[in-house]
């Protein structure tokens, strides 16, 4: 590896051991190679040049690239002094299962384009990667991962079957009640979906349609409701963060200010200075 280059690899246990990398290359050139799973990457800086399916491509900052399992491709810098990018490596089995739940086909998804220039997908990809780097709560990460893959398949894959979703309003109500009852717990999207008997995509989509919030956002609101009650009783922010399931005091304060516009201490003071 050349000077000033780096490549850091991680695995995310929250997402079943999903592999991810962040890297910066200047002079390294990757010859033709393939991966066992999919490669979904986003360029953060510079230009990445690669060949794929017999064509040459240049990926600029914000653009995504997708390579399917066993597809040969190369990699090198485009114009400039190198490129910095981040990538996720979902397994073929994971993508086939999602393809089946959306379109009823057992085939491996086929993406029409090697390079995707879509601001919404780029924002979702970068947002997910930032959450993985920060170590965000599992439910939040799982939601963003599921919706990124779903939107990629819906917008960019080549399918003939129409998307069909079953109706299970009672299941969604059960999910709402479980989130409210277990507001302190770090719940798994996969576990909730299995218990409700619906797919993770259906759960997120229908829950947001019914309540205008994702399951994770709803759980955060439940935590804030309990936090406000505890602040009125004089609890400290540190104790409330622990009692209500927030990652730490900083996470609690940020969520509280976002929802209420003031800090927890300022809110609490209002009830003890009258």
């Amino acid at each position: 590896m050349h000077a000033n280059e780096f490549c850091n690899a991680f695995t995310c246990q929250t997402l079943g051991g999903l592999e991810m990398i962040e890297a910066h290359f200047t002079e390294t050139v990757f010859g033709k190679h393939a991966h066992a799973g999919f490669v979904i990457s986003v360029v953060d800086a510079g230009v990445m040049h690669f060949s794929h399916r017999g064509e040459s491509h240049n990926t600029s900052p914000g653009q995504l690239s997708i390579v399917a399992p066993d597809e040969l491709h190369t990699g090198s810098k485009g114009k400039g002094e190198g490129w910095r990018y981040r990538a996720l490596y979902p397994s073929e089995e994971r993508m086939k299962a999602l393809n089946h739940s959306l379109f009823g086909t057992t085939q491996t998804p086929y993406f029409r384009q090697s390079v995707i220039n879509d601001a919404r997908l780029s924002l979702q990809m970068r947002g997910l990667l930032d959450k993985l780097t920060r170590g965000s709560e599992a439910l939040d990460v799982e939601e963003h991962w599921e919706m990124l893959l779903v939107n990629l398949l819906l917008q960019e894959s080549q399918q003939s079957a129409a998307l069909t979703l079953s109706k299970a309003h009672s299941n969604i109500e059960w999910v709402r009640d479980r989130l409210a009852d277990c507001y302190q717990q770090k719940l798994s999207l996969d576990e909730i979906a299995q218990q409700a008997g619906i797919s993770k995509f259906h759960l997120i989509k229908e829950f947001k349609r019914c309540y205008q919030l994702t399951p994770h956002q709803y759980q955060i609101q439940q935590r804030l409701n309990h936090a406000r009650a505890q602040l009125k009783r004089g609890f400290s922010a540190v104790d409330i963060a622990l009692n209500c399931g927030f990652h730490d005091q900083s996470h609690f304060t940020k969520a509280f200010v976002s929802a209420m516009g003031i800090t927890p201490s300022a809110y609490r003071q209002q009830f003890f200075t009258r």
Side-chain angles (χ1 to χ4, degrees):
M1 187 170 292
H2 299 270
N4 300 320
E5 293 187 339
F6 67 84
C7 181
N8 299 322
F10 313 89
T11 56
C12 177
Q13 298 309 313
T14 298
L15 298 178
L18 174 72
E19 183 182 351
M20 59 178 290
I21 67 165
E22 57 178 3
H24 177 224
F25 295 111
T26 55
E27 302 301 328
T28 295
V29 175
F30 297 94
K32 289 184 178 181
H33 65 286
H35 299 271
F38 281 85
V39 183
I40 306 172
S41 65
V42 61
V43 171
D44 290 320
V47 178
M48 178 178 71
H49 176 82
F50 70 105
S51 63
H52 181 225
R53 296 177 183 166
E55 297 183 356
S56 294
H57 306 276
N58 286 308
T59 311
S60 301
Q63 293 183 320
L64 305 184
S65 62
I66 298 185
V67 176
D70 299 322
E71 288 186 338
L72 291 174
H73 58 286
T74 64
S76 61
K77 69 178 181 180
K79 295 181 179 179
E81 298 181 354
W83 81 102
R84 189 174 73 248
Y85 77 110
R86 292 175 289 175
L88 298 168
Y89 297 81
S91 68
E92 183 174 11
E93 292 74 18
R94 175 74 173 85
M95 299 297 283
K96 287 175 69 174
L98 187 56
N99 208 35
H100 181 264
S101 70
L102 292 175
F103 303 107
T105 176
T106 58
Q107 296 179 342
T108 300
Y110 179 83
F111 291 93
R112 295 183 294 265
Q113 303 180 83
S114 302
V115 177
I116 298 174
N117 187 25
D118 186 294
R120 178 181 174 222
L121 290 173
S122 176
L123 185 64
Q124 287 184 319
M125 175 76 169
R126 285 172 152 173
L128 171 65
L129 288 164
D130 289 343
K131 288 179 182 296
L132 290 172
T133 301
R134 293 196 306 266
S136 296
E137 195 166 338
L139 184 59
D140 190 21
V141 169
E142 289 177 303
E143 287 175 358
H144 280 76
W145 178 227
E146 188 77 7
M147 293 311 300
L148 171 65
L149 294 182
V150 166
N151 287 329
L152 277 170
L153 285 169
L154 290 177
Q155 294 174 215
E156 302 297 333
S157 67
Q158 181 174 303
Q159 301 290 347
S160 58
L163 173 64
T164 58
L165 295 173
S166 62
K167 296 181 179 180
H169 298 293
S170 61
N171 302 59
I172 299 301
E173 290 177 356
W174 179 89
V175 171
R176 177 202 61 196
D177 293 342
R178 176 157 173 76
L179 289 169
D181 293 340
C182 303
Y183 68 93
Q184 298 167 303
Q185 300 179 21
K186 299 184 185 303
L187 300 173
S188 161
L189 183 67
D190 187 62
E191 174 190 0
I192 297 173
Q194 286 187 17
Q195 291 175 346
I198 52 181
S199 72
K200 291 182 286 189
F201 167 62
H202 185 189
L203 190 160
I204 297 170
K205 182 178 179 66
E206 287 299 293
F207 196 96
K208 190 167 185 178
R209 185 183 67 80
C210 291
Y211 304 113
Q212 291 74 58
L213 297 168
T214 68
H216 180 256
Q217 290 169 339
Y218 181 84
Q219 189 184 50
I220 292 296
Q221 292 306 308
Q222 295 301 306
R223 291 174 178 174
L224 289 172
N225 289 341
H226 288 275
R228 284 194 291 270
Q230 293 184 27
L231 284 169
K232 292 177 183 179
R233 294 162 56 191
F235 283 66
S236 70
V238 174
D239 290 336
I240 291 173
L242 179 63
N243 295 341
C244 295
F246 289 98
H247 183 67
D248 52 30
Q249 182 182 350
S250 175
H251 181 210
F252 165 52
T253 298
K254 184 177 180 180
F256 194 91
V257 170
S258 177
M260 301 296 296
I262 60 174
T263 65
S265 59
Y267 181 87
R268 180 183 57 193
Q269 189 175 12
Q270 295 179 14
F271 298 93
F272 293 93
T273 57
R274 297 174 182 175

